[in-house]
Amino acid sequence: DIVMTQSPDSLAVSLGERATINCKSSQTVLFSSNDKSYLAWYQQRPGQPPKLLIYWASTRESGVPDRFSGSGSGTDFTLTISSLQAEDVAVYYCQQYYSTPYTFGQGTKLEIK
Amino acid sequence: QVQLQESGPGLVKPSETLSLTCTVSGGSISSYYWSWIRQPPGKGLEWIGYIYNSGSTNYNPSLKSRVTISVDTSKNQFSLRLSSVTAADTAVYYCARNWNFDLWGRGTLVTVSS
């Protein structure tokens, strides 16, 4: 299984400031034939299902605000929220869909400082 | 727009079989991969398995011996059966679409208790 490890486990950021969450996979999730990293990011607010934010490591899902961006390739990835808003308080998960079993990171809890 | 809705018993006894159904509304179940994912209270996400509309399946090896996922295209539904449940199977169970889970149901809490 590919193990996904996120850092930090929790993060407190002031409103309007930048938030950065990291995700590392135990093996590459980059498919060389199409040069795509099979990595997604989700936001889960309390009491709600996860919501897809980013796929192919850096493609923003339709309707997701452009303050959310994803970067990275291979084994190291980052989710950045450029200017934190109150509604961004949530747990964020990365997930690989390169190979089964699909696996998630342990989650990063983002709070307002 | 397409919506997913999980349904099934909220309480299952230990050693019995958990059965859930996901109904796809507003669109066809065809030509997509459909997954079950679970989340124990206060914990992270675990992929259980998927089914393609052709009926081909892929299960998480950690659960493979106990899991069956099936599809009924005539009803636009797919289902999960998890046998020999224990308290460790208590979780919110979600259905979701595709490999990058772009669409989720709201989830249903299943508690395993006598």
Side-chain angles (χ1 to χ4, degrees), chain B residues 9-109:
Chain B
L11 181 64
V12 181
K13 290 183 168 54
S15 80
E16 295 189 344
T17 296
L18 177 160
S19 295
L20 296 174
T21 295
C22 181
T23 300
V24 180
S25 60
S28 174
I29 201 169
S30 300
S31 304
Y32 286 103
Y33 288 79
W34 301 95
S35 281
W36 287 97
I37 297 158
R38 69 180 183 178
Q39 185 172 35
K43 296 189 178 180
L45 298 158
E46 180 182 32
W47 175 73
I48 298 169
Y50 71 58
I51 189 164
Y52 188 59
N53 72 309
S54 64
S56 62
T57 56
N58 191 312
Y59 301 138
N60 192 322
S62 67
L63 298 167
K64 187 173 184 177
S65 63
R66 300 194 290 131
V67 171
T68 303
I69 298 176
S70 59
V71 65
D72 186 337
T73 53
S74 67
K75 293 182 179 179
N76 241 28
Q77 294 176 334
F78 62 105
S79 299
L80 169 71
R81 288 174 56 86
L82 181 66
S83 63
S84 305
V85 298
T86 69
D89 296 309
T90 293
V92 175
Y93 285 76
Y94 296 101
C95 53
R97 186 178 71 176
N98 280 339
W99 304 333
N100 57 345
F101 309 117
D102 63 342
L103 183 65
W104 296 66
R106 295 185 66 178
T108 186
L109 174 62

Side-chain angles (χ1 to χ4, degrees), chain A residues 12-30:
Chain A
V13 175
S14 300
L15 290 173
E17 296 299 306
R18 178 185 300 264
T20 301
I21 299 170
N22 300 301
C23 175
K24 187 174 183 66
S25 57
S26 61
Q27 61 192 77
T28 187
V29 298
L30 174 65

Side-chain angles (χ1 to χ4, degrees), chain A residues 12-66:
Chain A
V13 175
S14 300
L15 290 173
E17 296 299 306
R18 178 185 300 264
T20 301
I21 299 170
N22 300 301
C23 175
K24 187 174 183 66
S25 57
S26 61
Q27 61 192 77
T28 187
V29 298
L30 174 65
F31 195 38
S32 55
S33 66
N34 61 8
D35 199 32
K36 288 183 180 291
S37 288
Y38 286 53
L39 188 284
W41 287 97
Y42 302 87
Q43 175 193 67
Q44 187 175 33
R45 296 183 175 123
Q48 294 188 15
K51 172 188 173 183
L52 177 65
L53 298 175
I54 303 284
Y55 57 98
W56 300 132
S58 60
T59 301
R60 199 178 303 115
E61 174 73 334
S62 176
V64 173
D66 61 7

